[in-house]
Amino acid sequence: MATIDRPPRGSRYVDQRHYVVPSRLADLHGPTGGHVTLDRSLDWSGDSTYDLDDPGDLQVMYQTVLNQAASAEDLNRWLDADILRRVWPSLWLPARLRALWQARFSDLAAPPQALAG
């Protein structure tokens, strides 16, 4: 009889969700301005084009890539290390994703800014 690998009883999806964290921030060499259109595997919303010169679009694009990346190559292609450091405190991210990144990169460990109300 086949064995099914199941999560522990009572565990939550948020605790099992796989997030990708790169080995080095220096590998992130994504676009730094202009319009970009994310691959459908990252953004299937139907409006996957972002203006990186618009702070709101930039923030949403970074949140989307961080949440949906399936590989380090996704992160390397779409994120830029300097921009990530700058916007990191204001990104709205799942607590576990933020903790994983901050555990690897201590320079991202500043507390997040409050969301605009």
Side-chain angles (χ1 to χ4, degrees):
M1 180 187 267
T3 306
I4 298 174
D5 187 20
R6 295 182 189 215
R9 192 174 279 272
S11 67
R12 303 172 307 161
Y13 171 76
V14 70
D15 298 324
Q16 300 169 42
R17 176 86 162 43
H18 173 74
Y19 295 111
V20 179
V21 181
S23 300
R24 302 173 335 134
L25 286 180
D27 293 336
L28 304 179
H29 294 291
T32 59
H35 288 80
V36 299
T37 301
L38 294 178
D39 298 335
R40 191 163 300 280
S41 64
L42 293 171
D43 187 339
W44 54 92
S45 70
D47 185 15
S48 58
T49 299
Y50 298 89
D51 179 357
L52 299 184
D53 298 318
D54 176 87
D57 266 12
L58 176 78
Q59 182 172 344
V60 171
M61 192 274 266
Y62 269 62
Q63 290 168 179
T64 300
V65 172
L66 288 163
N67 273 289
Q68 301 303 324
S71 67
E73 290 76 29
D74 287 338
L75 299 170
N76 297 343
R77 178 177 178 196
W78 296 109
L79 303 180
D80 176 78
D82 292 334
I83 292 174
L84 180 65
R85 284 185 190 95
R86 187 183 80 230
V87 301
W88 182 260
S90 64
L91 295 178
W92 190 22
L93 300 169
R96 188 163 158 274
L97 184 153
R98 185 176 292 280
L100 289 168
W101 278 71
Q102 289 178 176
R104 179 152 308 155
F105 307 112
S106 60
D107 55 329
L108 298 178
Q113 299 172 357
L115 295 175

